[in-house]
Amino acid sequence: MRVIIEPNYEALSKWAATYVANRIIESNPTPEKPFVLGCPTGSSPLGLYKELIRMYEEGKLSFQNVVTFNMDEYVKLPEDHPESYHSFMWKNFFSHIDIKPENVHILNGNAPDLIAECEHYERMIAEAGGIDLFMGGIGPDGHLAFNEPGSSLSSRTRIKTLTTDTIHANSRFFDGDLSLVPKQALTVGIGTVMDAKEVLIVVNGHNKARALQHVIDGEVSHKWTASMLQMHPHAIVVCDEAACDELTVGTYKYYLDKERGNL
């Protein structure tokens, strides 16, 4: 696992966006062989998306031959609802770049058969050649996508009932009204994410410090599902100083020295 420690959220967002942009450019994608990008929602990747948009606007990056697969979507929330992940992605990213609408894939939380929808999503990922780079964030409890504590570390795309902690955390997007927060979601599994050629996770803020400690310095455990990234051959965690508050001094210095070329 590679761990990048930046001083603040702005810096970590720029580092992550530059990495993603370089991977797309280096792959020289074509219509026949597009770059397949996994996309998260939530507050953590907003800075990353902003930087990717800026690079596109400056003519440094094109998404014409990029195919995307989002991590998750709420169940029984209309796609045009302002808090649906469809709305989130078009508002914060897709509508600002040159991606082709037909290249965007987001789970349908209103599908008549949710199990079939999840199975179809896995098939589409496979048919696209797998995900080249899966971006993501983690929750304060170490969850990745909606793979909350207790989720199988080999799980695939499926229906998940959200925990009380997640419902409370997401209530800020629903005017604090818990009754308005969807209780279920469709999500890619930990196994789905682990199949990606690369995974890049952004982690910011003191409220993610305990999760970050478990993810990079703890044991691999279904209680902290993102800890499974320790087993990925090409996983990168990009974090800010505040998120490092619970790392040991030794771990913190190790990763700084490693990036400076001292190890």
Side-chain angles (χ1 to χ4, degrees):
M1 178 183 288
R2 185 179 180 188
V3 178
I4 306 298
I5 302 172
E6 293 291 335
N8 52 48
Y9 178 68
E10 180 181 6
L12 81 82
S13 296
K14 287 182 178 179
W15 195 99
T18 299
Y19 186 88
V20 172
N22 286 341
R23 291 293 294 112
I24 294 172
I25 294 167
E26 289 164 4
S27 74
N28 192 26
T30 64
E32 295 73 30
K33 188 172 175 52
F35 188 86
V36 185
L37 185 66
C39 295
T41 54
S43 56
S44 296
L46 286 174
L48 166 57
Y49 288 147
K50 182 180 178 181
E51 286 297 316
L52 290 174
I53 292 167
R54 180 183 62 79
M55 292 180 192
Y56 161 71
E57 292 174 342
E58 292 176 354
K60 299 176 180 177
L61 180 64
S62 173
F63 294 87
Q64 279 282 313
N65 295 318
V66 172
V67 170
T68 64
F69 285 90
N70 257 72
M71 280 189 159
D72 39 32
E73 178 58 288
Y74 287 120
V75 168
K76 294 183 180 179
L77 194 69
E79 286 187 7
D80 60 358
H81 189 283
E83 296 304 331
S84 77
Y85 291 157
H86 281 76
S87 295
F88 177 98
M89 291 304 302
W90 285 100
K91 176 183 177 181
N92 293 297
F93 190 36
F94 295 146
S95 65
H96 304 283
I97 58 176
D98 60 342
I99 195 166
K100 298 173 183 175
E102 62 267 27
N103 285 348
V104 171
H105 301 89
I106 305 177
L107 283 155
N108 179 8
N110 295 286
D113 186 334
L114 295 178
I115 294 176
E117 170 68 10
C118 294
E119 293 172 346
H120 180 240
Y121 205 67
E122 287 279 343
R123 287 197 300 274
M124 287 195 297
I125 292 174
E127 290 166 1
I131 292 173
D132 292 302
L133 174 59
F134 223 137
M135 305 181 291
I138 62 173
D141 60 3
H143 73 256
L144 180 61
F146 274 124
N147 296 286
E148 299 182 309
S151 295
S152 167
L153 297 180
S154 62
S155 55
R156 312 303 302 190
T157 303
R158 65 206 189 287
I159 309 166
K160 281 292 289 181
T161 298
L162 307 186
T163 66
T164 300
D165 284 347
T166 296
I167 291 170
H168 275 269
N170 290 353
S171 67
R172 69 187 188 277
F173 302 118
F174 294 84
D175 297 322
D177 190 339
L178 296 176
S179 68
L180 298 178
V181 183
K183 304 305 184 288
Q184 289 186 316
L186 303 184
T187 182
V188 296
I190 294 296
T192 313
V193 176
M194 290 292 289
D195 279 350
K197 298 178 182 70
E198 292 185 88
V199 183
L200 183 147
I201 303 296
V202 293
V203 186
N204 66 287
H206 175 75
N207 69 319
K208 303 290 180 69
R210 188 175 178 220
L212 181 66
Q213 187 274 328
H214 280 275
V215 169
I216 70 174
D217 209 18
E219 297 179 354
V220 174
S221 170
H222 66 283
K223 294 181 180 179
W224 302 85
T225 55
S227 66
M228 188 62 176
L229 294 176
Q230 295 176 32
M231 306 298 292
H232 197 286
H234 299 290
I236 302 176
V237 176
V238 191
C239 54
D240 62 8
E241 291 279 355
C244 296
D245 284 351
E246 295 201 22
L247 296 182
T248 64
V249 173
T251 296
Y252 176 80
K253 288 186 175 180
Y254 170 80
Y255 285 114
L256 284 179
D257 285 343
K258 192 175 180 182
E259 290 304 315
R260 290 169 181 159
N262 295 334
L263 295 176

PDB file of all heavy atoms in Angstrom, residues 16-50:
ATOM      1  N   ALA A  16      -4.249  13.747  -5.801  1.00  0.00           N
ATOM      2  CA  ALA A  16      -5.076  12.653  -6.293  1.00  0.00           C
ATOM      3  C   ALA A  16      -5.533  12.903  -7.728  1.00  0.00           C
ATOM      4  O   ALA A  16      -5.489  11.998  -8.575  1.00  0.00           O
ATOM      5  CB  ALA A  16      -6.282  12.458  -5.374  1.00  0.00           C
ATOM      6  N   ALA A  17      -5.970  14.120  -8.016  1.00  0.00           N
ATOM      7  CA  ALA A  17      -6.451  14.442  -9.360  1.00  0.00           C
ATOM      8  C   ALA A  17      -5.327  14.342 -10.387  1.00  0.00           C
ATOM      9  O   ALA A  17      -5.535  13.843 -11.508  1.00  0.00           O
ATOM     10  CB  ALA A  17      -7.050  15.848  -9.378  1.00  0.00           C
ATOM     11  N   THR A  18      -4.146  14.795 -10.020  1.00  0.00           N
ATOM     12  CA  THR A  18      -3.006  14.707 -10.928  1.00  0.00           C
ATOM     13  C   THR A  18      -2.677  13.255 -11.235  1.00  0.00           C
ATOM     14  O   THR A  18      -2.389  12.888 -12.381  1.00  0.00           O
ATOM     15  CB  THR A  18      -1.772  15.407 -10.318  1.00  0.00           C
ATOM     16  OG1 THR A  18      -2.082  16.786 -10.106  1.00  0.00           O
ATOM     17  CG2 THR A  18      -0.562  15.303 -11.243  1.00  0.00           C
ATOM     18  N   TYR A  19      -2.749  12.405 -10.210  1.00  0.00           N
ATOM     19  CA  TYR A  19      -2.478  10.982 -10.410  1.00  0.00           C
ATOM     20  C   TYR A  19      -3.505  10.369 -11.359  1.00  0.00           C
ATOM     21  O   TYR A  19      -3.143   9.660 -12.309  1.00  0.00           O
ATOM     22  CB  TYR A  19      -2.477  10.237  -9.085  1.00  0.00           C
ATOM     23  CG  TYR A  19      -2.071   8.791  -9.229  1.00  0.00           C
ATOM     24  CD1 TYR A  19      -0.730   8.431  -9.164  1.00  0.00           C
ATOM     25  CD2 TYR A  19      -3.019   7.794  -9.456  1.00  0.00           C
ATOM     26  CE1 TYR A  19      -0.336   7.103  -9.318  1.00  0.00           C
ATOM     27  CE2 TYR A  19      -2.633   6.467  -9.625  1.00  0.00           C
ATOM     28  CZ  TYR A  19      -1.298   6.134  -9.551  1.00  0.00           C
ATOM     29  OH  TYR A  19      -0.923   4.824  -9.728  1.00  0.00           O
ATOM     30  N   VAL A  20      -4.780  10.641 -11.101  1.00  0.00           N
ATOM     31  CA  VAL A  20      -5.846  10.082 -11.944  1.00  0.00           C
ATOM     32  C   VAL A  20      -5.693  10.580 -13.382  1.00  0.00           C
ATOM     33  O   VAL A  20      -5.774   9.798 -14.341  1.00  0.00           O
ATOM     34  CB  VAL A  20      -7.227  10.459 -11.383  1.00  0.00           C
ATOM     35  CG1 VAL A  20      -8.329  10.040 -12.359  1.00  0.00           C
ATOM     36  CG2 VAL A  20      -7.448   9.802 -10.018  1.00  0.00           C
ATOM     37  N   ALA A  21      -5.453  11.874 -13.542  1.00  0.00           N
ATOM     38  CA  ALA A  21      -5.307  12.453 -14.878  1.00  0.00           C
ATOM     39  C   ALA A  21      -4.138  11.814 -15.623  1.00  0.00           C
ATOM     40  O   ALA A  21      -4.256  11.462 -16.811  1.00  0.00           O
ATOM     41  CB  ALA A  21      -5.111  13.966 -14.775  1.00  0.00           C
ATOM     42  N   ASN A  22      -3.021  11.645 -14.940  1.00  0.00           N
ATOM     43  CA  ASN A  22      -1.853  11.048 -15.582  1.00  0.00           C
ATOM     44  C   ASN A  22      -2.116   9.615 -16.002  1.00  0.00           C
ATOM     45  O   ASN A  22      -1.653   9.169 -17.065  1.00  0.00           O
ATOM     46  CB  ASN A  22      -0.645  11.100 -14.646  1.00  0.00           C
ATOM     47  CG  ASN A  22      -0.069  12.492 -14.520  1.00  0.00           C
ATOM     48  OD1 ASN A  22      -0.312  13.367 -15.355  1.00  0.00           O
ATOM     49  ND2 ASN A  22       0.699  12.724 -13.463  1.00  0.00           N
ATOM     50  N   ARG A  23      -2.867   8.886 -15.185  1.00  0.00           N
ATOM     51  CA  ARG A  23      -3.182   7.494 -15.544  1.00  0.00           C
ATOM     52  C   ARG A  23      -4.058   7.442 -16.792  1.00  0.00           C
ATOM     53  O   ARG A  23      -3.868   6.575 -17.653  1.00  0.00           O
ATOM     54  CB  ARG A  23      -3.870   6.783 -14.369  1.00  0.00           C
ATOM     55  CG  ARG A  23      -2.960   6.532 -13.190  1.00  0.00           C
ATOM     56  CD  ARG A  23      -1.838   5.518 -13.504  1.00  0.00           C
ATOM     57  NE  ARG A  23      -2.389   4.208 -13.753  1.00  0.00           N
ATOM     58  CZ  ARG A  23      -2.380   3.580 -14.927  1.00  0.00           C
ATOM     59  NH1 ARG A  23      -1.825   4.162 -15.988  1.00  0.00           N
ATOM     60  NH2 ARG A  23      -2.920   2.387 -15.064  1.00  0.00           N
ATOM     61  N   ILE A  24      -5.009   8.368 -16.880  1.00  0.00           N
ATOM     62  CA  ILE A  24      -5.871   8.408 -18.075  1.00  0.00           C
ATOM     63  C   ILE A  24      -5.047   8.763 -19.308  1.00  0.00           C
ATOM     64  O   ILE A  24      -5.141   8.111 -20.352  1.00  0.00           O
ATOM     65  CB  ILE A  24      -7.018   9.421 -17.878  1.00  0.00           C
ATOM     66  CG1 ILE A  24      -7.967   8.945 -16.771  1.00  0.00           C
ATOM     67  CG2 ILE A  24      -7.788   9.619 -19.192  1.00  0.00           C
ATOM     68  CD1 ILE A  24      -9.019   9.972 -16.371  1.00  0.00           C
ATOM     69  N   ILE A  25      -4.226   9.796 -19.195  1.00  0.00           N
ATOM     70  CA  ILE A  25      -3.418  10.255 -20.324  1.00  0.00           C
ATOM     71  C   ILE A  25      -2.432   9.172 -20.763  1.00  0.00           C
ATOM     72  O   ILE A  25      -2.272   8.897 -21.966  1.00  0.00           O
ATOM     73  CB  ILE A  25      -2.669  11.558 -19.954  1.00  0.00           C
ATOM     74  CG1 ILE A  25      -3.677  12.694 -19.741  1.00  0.00           C
ATOM     75  CG2 ILE A  25      -1.658  11.931 -21.034  1.00  0.00           C
ATOM     76  CD1 ILE A  25      -3.087  13.922 -19.067  1.00  0.00           C
ATOM     77  N   GLU A  26      -1.768   8.528 -19.802  1.00  0.00           N
ATOM     78  CA  GLU A  26      -0.781   7.498 -20.122  1.00  0.00           C
ATOM     79  C   GLU A  26      -1.403   6.297 -20.819  1.00  0.00           C
ATOM     80  O   GLU A  26      -0.750   5.627 -21.632  1.00  0.00           O
ATOM     81  CB  GLU A  26      -0.086   7.031 -18.837  1.00  0.00           C
ATOM     82  CG  GLU A  26       0.853   8.056 -18.221  1.00  0.00           C
ATOM     83  CD  GLU A  26       1.211   7.711 -16.780  1.00  0.00           C
ATOM     84  OE1 GLU A  26       0.781   6.627 -16.303  1.00  0.00           O
ATOM     85  OE2 GLU A  26       1.898   8.515 -16.137  1.00  0.00           O
ATOM     86  N   SER A  27      -2.662   6.017 -20.518  1.00  0.00           N
ATOM     87  CA  SER A  27      -3.318   4.855 -21.120  1.00  0.00           C
ATOM     88  C   SER A  27      -3.702   5.106 -22.577  1.00  0.00           C
ATOM     89  O   SER A  27      -4.024   4.159 -23.302  1.00  0.00           O
ATOM     90  CB  SER A  27      -4.571   4.478 -20.321  1.00  0.00           C
ATOM     91  OG  SER A  27      -5.615   5.408 -20.550  1.00  0.00           O
ATOM     92  N   ASN A  28      -3.698   6.391 -22.982  1.00  0.00           N
ATOM     93  CA  ASN A  28      -4.051   6.775 -24.353  1.00  0.00           C
ATOM     94  C   ASN A  28      -5.341   6.078 -24.803  1.00  0.00           C
ATOM     95  O   ASN A  28      -5.347   5.310 -25.772  1.00  0.00           O
ATOM     96  CB  ASN A  28      -2.906   6.425 -25.308  1.00  0.00           C
ATOM     97  CG  ASN A  28      -3.066   7.053 -26.677  1.00  0.00           C
ATOM     98  OD1 ASN A  28      -3.711   8.099 -26.811  1.00  0.00           O
ATOM     99  ND2 ASN A  28      -2.508   6.417 -27.699  1.00  0.00           N
ATOM    100  N   PRO A  29      -6.442   6.323 -24.083  1.00  0.00           N
ATOM    101  CA  PRO A  29      -7.682   5.584 -24.364  1.00  0.00           C
ATOM    102  C   PRO A  29      -8.261   5.883 -25.741  1.00  0.00           C
ATOM    103  O   PRO A  29      -8.088   6.978 -26.285  1.00  0.00           O
ATOM    104  CB  PRO A  29      -8.619   6.067 -23.250  1.00  0.00           C
ATOM    105  CG  PRO A  29      -8.124   7.440 -22.911  1.00  0.00           C
ATOM    106  CD  PRO A  29      -6.635   7.360 -23.050  1.00  0.00           C
ATOM    107  N   THR A  30      -8.926   4.900 -26.281  1.00  0.00           N
ATOM    108  CA  THR A  30      -9.601   5.021 -27.573  1.00  0.00           C
ATOM    109  C   THR A  30     -11.040   4.536 -27.418  1.00  0.00           C
ATOM    110  O   THR A  30     -11.385   3.917 -26.402  1.00  0.00           O
ATOM    111  CB  THR A  30      -8.895   4.145 -28.628  1.00  0.00           C
ATOM    112  OG1 THR A  30      -9.020   2.765 -28.247  1.00  0.00           O
ATOM    113  CG2 THR A  30      -7.416   4.512 -28.749  1.00  0.00           C
ATOM    114  N   PRO A  31     -11.902   4.793 -28.412  1.00  0.00           N
ATOM    115  CA  PRO A  31     -13.270   4.272 -28.322  1.00  0.00           C
ATOM    116  C   PRO A  31     -13.299   2.746 -28.188  1.00  0.00           C
ATOM    117  O   PRO A  31     -14.176   2.192 -27.522  1.00  0.00           O
ATOM    118  CB  PRO A  31     -13.902   4.725 -29.636  1.00  0.00           C
ATOM    119  CG  PRO A  31     -13.146   5.963 -30.004  1.00  0.00           C
ATOM    120  CD  PRO A  31     -11.728   5.679 -29.583  1.00  0.00           C
ATOM    121  N   GLU A  32     -12.320   2.091 -28.817  1.00  0.00           N
ATOM    122  CA  GLU A  32     -12.271   0.628 -28.768  1.00  0.00           C
ATOM    123  C   GLU A  32     -11.680   0.123 -27.446  1.00  0.00           C
ATOM    124  O   GLU A  32     -12.041  -0.959 -26.983  1.00  0.00           O
ATOM    125  CB  GLU A  32     -11.435   0.091 -29.932  1.00  0.00           C
ATOM    126  CG  GLU A  32     -12.006   0.346 -31.308  1.00  0.00           C
ATOM    127  CD  GLU A  32     -11.889   1.808 -31.733  1.00  0.00           C
ATOM    128  OE1 GLU A  32     -10.923   2.485 -31.289  1.00  0.00           O
ATOM    129  OE2 GLU A  32     -12.767   2.264 -32.501  1.00  0.00           O
ATOM    130  N   LYS A  33     -10.794   0.914 -26.856  1.00  0.00           N
ATOM    131  CA  LYS A  33     -10.170   0.526 -25.586  1.00  0.00           C
ATOM    132  C   LYS A  33     -10.190   1.734 -24.639  1.00  0.00           C
ATOM    133  O   LYS A  33      -9.175   2.423 -24.473  1.00  0.00           O
ATOM    134  CB  LYS A  33      -8.746   0.026 -25.807  1.00  0.00           C
ATOM    135  CG  LYS A  33      -8.124  -0.573 -24.546  1.00  0.00           C
ATOM    136  CD  LYS A  33      -6.790  -1.234 -24.824  1.00  0.00           C
ATOM    137  CE  LYS A  33      -6.112  -1.721 -23.553  1.00  0.00           C
ATOM    138  NZ  LYS A  33      -6.984  -2.566 -22.715  1.00  0.00           N
ATOM    139  N   PRO A  34     -11.330   2.006 -24.044  1.00  0.00           N
ATOM    140  CA  PRO A  34     -11.452   3.161 -23.149  1.00  0.00           C
ATOM    141  C   PRO A  34     -10.776   2.927 -21.805  1.00  0.00           C
ATOM    142  O   PRO A  34     -10.460   1.786 -21.447  1.00  0.00           O
ATOM    143  CB  PRO A  34     -12.964   3.321 -22.976  1.00  0.00           C
ATOM    144  CG  PRO A  34     -13.481   1.918 -23.119  1.00  0.00           C
ATOM    145  CD  PRO A  34     -12.615   1.273 -24.159  1.00  0.00           C
ATOM    146  N   PHE A  35     -10.550   4.006 -21.085  1.00  0.00           N
ATOM    147  CA  PHE A  35     -10.073   3.909 -19.706  1.00  0.00           C
ATOM    148  C   PHE A  35     -11.304   3.771 -18.828  1.00  0.00           C
ATOM    149  O   PHE A  35     -12.254   4.559 -18.926  1.00  0.00           O
ATOM    150  CB  PHE A  35      -9.296   5.169 -19.314  1.00  0.00           C
ATOM    151  CG  PHE A  35      -8.620   5.061 -17.976  1.00  0.00           C
ATOM    152  CD1 PHE A  35      -7.359   4.506 -17.869  1.00  0.00           C
ATOM    153  CD2 PHE A  35      -9.248   5.508 -16.819  1.00  0.00           C
ATOM    154  CE1 PHE A  35      -6.720   4.402 -16.630  1.00  0.00           C
ATOM    155  CE2 PHE A  35      -8.628   5.409 -15.574  1.00  0.00           C
ATOM    156  CZ  PHE A  35      -7.354   4.859 -15.487  1.00  0.00           C
ATOM    157  N   VAL A  36     -11.319   2.782 -17.948  1.00  0.00           N
ATOM    158  CA  VAL A  36     -12.497   2.512 -17.104  1.00  0.00           C
ATOM    159  C   VAL A  36     -12.215   3.025 -15.694  1.00  0.00           C
ATOM    160  O   VAL A  36     -11.295   2.553 -15.023  1.00  0.00           O
ATOM    161  CB  VAL A  36     -12.846   1.016 -17.088  1.00  0.00           C
ATOM    162  CG1 VAL A  36     -14.138   0.792 -16.297  1.00  0.00           C
ATOM    163  CG2 VAL A  36     -13.003   0.480 -18.514  1.00  0.00           C
ATOM    164  N   LEU A  37     -13.022   3.986 -15.279  1.00  0.00           N
ATOM    165  CA  LEU A  37     -12.807   4.705 -14.021  1.00  0.00           C
ATOM    166  C   LEU A  37     -13.950   4.452 -13.048  1.00  0.00           C
ATOM    167  O   LEU A  37     -15.117   4.624 -13.390  1.00  0.00           O
ATOM    168  CB  LEU A  37     -12.700   6.202 -14.316  1.00  0.00           C
ATOM    169  CG  LEU A  37     -12.361   7.162 -13.175  1.00  0.00           C
ATOM    170  CD1 LEU A  37     -10.946   6.916 -12.666  1.00  0.00           C
ATOM    171  CD2 LEU A  37     -12.497   8.610 -13.653  1.00  0.00           C
ATOM    172  N   GLY A  38     -13.632   4.032 -11.837  1.00  0.00           N
ATOM    173  CA  GLY A  38     -14.634   3.869 -10.792  1.00  0.00           C
ATOM    174  C   GLY A  38     -14.784   5.163 -10.024  1.00  0.00           C
ATOM    175  O   GLY A  38     -13.785   5.805  -9.674  1.00  0.00           O
ATOM    176  N   CYS A  39     -16.024   5.560  -9.745  1.00  0.00           N
ATOM    177  CA  CYS A  39     -16.286   6.871  -9.143  1.00  0.00           C
ATOM    178  C   CYS A  39     -17.066   6.769  -7.826  1.00  0.00           C
ATOM    179  O   CYS A  39     -18.040   6.027  -7.732  1.00  0.00           O
ATOM    180  CB  CYS A  39     -17.084   7.743 -10.108  1.00  0.00           C
ATOM    181  SG  CYS A  39     -16.202   8.167 -11.619  1.00  0.00           S
ATOM    182  N   PRO A  40     -16.655   7.565  -6.836  1.00  0.00           N
ATOM    183  CA  PRO A  40     -17.369   7.626  -5.558  1.00  0.00           C
ATOM    184  C   PRO A  40     -18.232   8.885  -5.472  1.00  0.00           C
ATOM    185  O   PRO A  40     -18.137   9.783  -6.326  1.00  0.00           O
ATOM    186  CB  PRO A  40     -16.229   7.717  -4.548  1.00  0.00           C
ATOM    187  CG  PRO A  40     -15.222   8.578  -5.261  1.00  0.00           C
ATOM    188  CD  PRO A  40     -15.339   8.237  -6.734  1.00  0.00           C
ATOM    189  N   THR A  41     -19.051   8.951  -4.444  1.00  0.00           N
ATOM    190  CA  THR A  41     -19.780  10.175  -4.123  1.00  0.00           C
ATOM    191  C   THR A  41     -19.373  10.593  -2.706  1.00  0.00           C
ATOM    192  O   THR A  41     -18.417  10.086  -2.155  1.00  0.00           O
ATOM    193  CB  THR A  41     -21.304   9.954  -4.201  1.00  0.00           C
ATOM    194  OG1 THR A  41     -21.652   8.844  -3.364  1.00  0.00           O
ATOM    195  CG2 THR A  41     -21.731   9.656  -5.634  1.00  0.00           C
ATOM    196  N   GLY A  42     -20.117  11.522  -2.122  1.00  0.00           N
ATOM    197  CA  GLY A  42     -19.779  12.004  -0.790  1.00  0.00           C
ATOM    198  C   GLY A  42     -18.934  13.255  -0.846  1.00  0.00           C
ATOM    199  O   GLY A  42     -18.555  13.737  -1.916  1.00  0.00           O
ATOM    200  N   SER A  43     -18.607  13.779   0.329  1.00  0.00           N
ATOM    201  CA  SER A  43     -17.867  15.041   0.391  1.00  0.00           C
ATOM    202  C   SER A  43     -16.379  14.872   0.092  1.00  0.00           C
ATOM    203  O   SER A  43     -15.745  15.780  -0.445  1.00  0.00           O
ATOM    204  CB  SER A  43     -18.046  15.675   1.778  1.00  0.00           C
ATOM    205  OG  SER A  43     -17.639  14.785   2.802  1.00  0.00           O
ATOM    206  N   SER A  44     -15.806  13.716   0.407  1.00  0.00           N
ATOM    207  CA  SER A  44     -14.360  13.525   0.249  1.00  0.00           C
ATOM    208  C   SER A  44     -13.852  13.750  -1.171  1.00  0.00           C
ATOM    209  O   SER A  44     -12.806  14.377  -1.357  1.00  0.00           O
ATOM    210  CB  SER A  44     -13.940  12.139   0.738  1.00  0.00           C
ATOM    211  OG  SER A  44     -14.170  11.998   2.124  1.00  0.00           O
ATOM    212  N   PRO A  45     -14.534  13.238  -2.215  1.00  0.00           N
ATOM    213  CA  PRO A  45     -13.979  13.395  -3.567  1.00  0.00           C
ATOM    214  C   PRO A  45     -14.318  14.712  -4.253  1.00  0.00           C
ATOM    215  O   PRO A  45     -13.906  14.916  -5.400  1.00  0.00           O
ATOM    216  CB  PRO A  45     -14.612  12.226  -4.328  1.00  0.00           C
ATOM    217  CG  PRO A  45     -15.936  12.042  -3.674  1.00  0.00           C
ATOM    218  CD  PRO A  45     -15.699  12.336  -2.207  1.00  0.00           C
ATOM    219  N   LEU A  46     -15.035  15.612  -3.606  1.00  0.00           N
ATOM    220  CA  LEU A  46     -15.432  16.854  -4.271  1.00  0.00           C
ATOM    221  C   LEU A  46     -14.226  17.657  -4.759  1.00  0.00           C
ATOM    222  O   LEU A  46     -14.232  18.206  -5.866  1.00  0.00           O
ATOM    223  CB  LEU A  46     -16.305  17.709  -3.342  1.00  0.00           C
ATOM    224  CG  LEU A  46     -17.735  17.210  -3.138  1.00  0.00           C
ATOM    225  CD1 LEU A  46     -18.454  18.061  -2.088  1.00  0.00           C
ATOM    226  CD2 LEU A  46     -18.517  17.232  -4.454  1.00  0.00           C
ATOM    227  N   GLY A  47     -13.196  17.751  -3.927  1.00  0.00           N
ATOM    228  CA  GLY A  47     -11.995  18.473  -4.334  1.00  0.00           C
ATOM    229  C   GLY A  47     -11.300  17.799  -5.502  1.00  0.00           C
ATOM    230  O   GLY A  47     -10.773  18.465  -6.412  1.00  0.00           O
ATOM    231  N   LEU A  48     -11.276  16.473  -5.496  1.00  0.00           N
ATOM    232  CA  LEU A  48     -10.699  15.692  -6.588  1.00  0.00           C
ATOM    233  C   LEU A  48     -11.440  15.964  -7.884  1.00  0.00           C
ATOM    234  O   LEU A  48     -10.830  16.221  -8.938  1.00  0.00           O
ATOM    235  CB  LEU A  48     -10.756  14.216  -6.209  1.00  0.00           C
ATOM    236  CG  LEU A  48     -10.533  13.145  -7.272  1.00  0.00           C
ATOM    237  CD1 LEU A  48      -9.192  13.303  -7.957  1.00  0.00           C
ATOM    238  CD2 LEU A  48     -10.639  11.756  -6.640  1.00  0.00           C
ATOM    239  N   TYR A  49     -12.771  15.945  -7.827  1.00  0.00           N
ATOM    240  CA  TYR A  49     -13.566  16.232  -9.020  1.00  0.00           C
ATOM    241  C   TYR A  49     -13.330  17.662  -9.511  1.00  0.00           C
ATOM    242  O   TYR A  49     -13.219  17.917 -10.712  1.00  0.00           O
ATOM    243  CB  TYR A  49     -15.051  16.005  -8.737  1.00  0.00           C
ATOM    244  CG  TYR A  49     -15.441  14.552  -8.597  1.00  0.00           C
ATOM    245  CD1 TYR A  49     -16.462  14.162  -7.727  1.00  0.00           C
ATOM    246  CD2 TYR A  49     -14.802  13.564  -9.325  1.00  0.00           C
ATOM    247  CE1 TYR A  49     -16.823  12.827  -7.595  1.00  0.00           C
ATOM    248  CE2 TYR A  49     -15.156  12.229  -9.206  1.00  0.00           C
ATOM    249  CZ  TYR A  49     -16.165  11.861  -8.342  1.00  0.00           C
ATOM    250  OH  TYR A  49     -16.515  10.542  -8.219  1.00  0.00           O
ATOM    251  N   LYS A  50     -13.255  18.605  -8.599  1.00  0.00           N
ATOM    252  CA  LYS A  50     -13.016  20.000  -8.959  1.00  0.00           C
ATOM    253  C   LYS A  50     -11.706  20.152  -9.721  1.00  0.00           C
ATOM    254  O   LYS A  50     -11.628  20.881 -10.716  1.00  0.00           O
ATOM    255  CB  LYS A  50     -13.011  20.869  -7.699  1.00  0.00           C
ATOM    256  CG  LYS A  50     -12.813  22.352  -7.961  1.00  0.00           C
ATOM    257  CD  LYS A  50     -12.827  23.137  -6.654  1.00  0.00           C
ATOM    258  CE  LYS A  50     -12.581  24.625  -6.912  1.00  0.00           C
ATOM    259  NZ  LYS A  50     -12.581  25.396  -5.630  1.00  0.00           N
TER     260      LYS A  50
END
